[in-house]
């Protein structure tokens, strides 16, 4: 089932530690934290092509990002001492590529959710290219692969 956040318009892909989603410019990561987690108990090491998230000494995830990011523009916050929000900025924002996974070979989006992500990013791209038009009620019916695309890994 696709998790659609009406407020942000982001399609979320669930993981064992939380979820992640994307827009044409950004990647959003939500990590569920143990109650009363403080910022001193969280380490996010982020480079242009990798990310490592450690909470209370335990590695939550680490690896090479699906595509390059602008690490200097990355932010992370803790909400109510129980949710870590990480925002990564895609380095190739003009290409508006839809990431098939958060990390290479890890947290791969299931085919129905990926199709919805592609549709959402297409609408977002149309809106940015045509700022005078309202695409909020539009639906995309293009050549999206039914049953899901083959999900190749990135070099």
């Amino acid at each position: 089932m696709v998790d659609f956040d009406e407020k942000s318009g982001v399609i979320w892909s669930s993981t064992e530690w939380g979820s992640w989603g994307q827009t044409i410019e950004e990647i959003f990561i939500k990590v569920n934290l143990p109650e009363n987690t403080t910022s001193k108990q969280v380490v996010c090491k982020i480079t242009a092509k990798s990310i490592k998230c450690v909470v209370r000494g335990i590695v939550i995830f680490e690896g090479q990002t699906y595509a390059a990011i602008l690490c200097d523009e990355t932010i992370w916050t803790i909400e109510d001492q129980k949710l870590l929000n990480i925002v990564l900025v895609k380095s190739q924002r003009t290409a508006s590529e839809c990431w098939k996974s958060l990390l290479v070979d890890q947290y791969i989006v299931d085919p129905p959710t990926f199709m919805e992500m592609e549709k959402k990013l297409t609408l977002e791209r149309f809106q940015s290219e045509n700022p005078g038009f309202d695409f909020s009620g539009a639906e995309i019916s293009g050549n999206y692969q039914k049953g899901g695309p083959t999900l190749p890994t990135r070099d």
Side-chain angles (χ1 to χ4, degrees), residues 31-38 78-84:
V31 179
N32 298 317
L33 300 173
E35 290 283 330
N36 301 315
T37 299
T38 66
I78 295 177
E79 184 178 325
D80 299 328
Q81 294 186 318
K82 61 182 178 182
L83 181 67
L84 172 63

Side-chain angles (χ1 to χ4, degrees), residues 77-96:
T77 59
I78 295 177
E79 184 178 325
D80 299 328
Q81 294 186 318
K82 61 182 178 182
L83 181 67
L84 172 63
N85 291 301
I86 304 170
V87 180
L88 308 175
V89 178
K90 295 177 179 179
S91 66
Q92 296 296 320
R93 291 178 277 187
T94 55
S96 59

Side-chain angles (χ1 to χ4, degrees), residues 31-50:
V31 179
N32 298 317
L33 300 173
E35 290 283 330
N36 301 315
T37 299
T38 66
S39 61
K40 291 181 181 182
Q41 296 171 313
V42 175
V43 176
C44 289
K45 184 176 180 185
I46 300 165
T47 70
K49 294 186 177 181
S50 69

Side-chain angles (χ1 to χ4, degrees), residues 88-143:
L88 308 175
V89 178
K90 295 177 179 179
S91 66
Q92 296 296 320
R93 291 178 277 187
T94 55
S96 59
E97 176 182 23
C98 190
W99 288 22
K100 294 178 176 96
S101 63
L102 177 61
L103 304 176
V104 174
D105 295 328
Q106 297 181 63
Y107 314 112
I108 298 169
V109 181
D110 65 84
T113 302
F114 183 73
M115 187 170 56
E116 292 303 313
M117 281 182 172
E118 283 187 307
K119 287 179 183 180
K120 180 66 183 158
L121 266 60
T122 299
L123 278 175
E124 192 177 334
R125 188 171 32 256
F126 285 159
Q127 184 67 52
S128 69
E129 292 170 355
N130 302 283
F133 293 94
D134 179 14
F135 289 95
S136 60
E139 288 188 26
I140 296 292
S141 59
N143 190 14

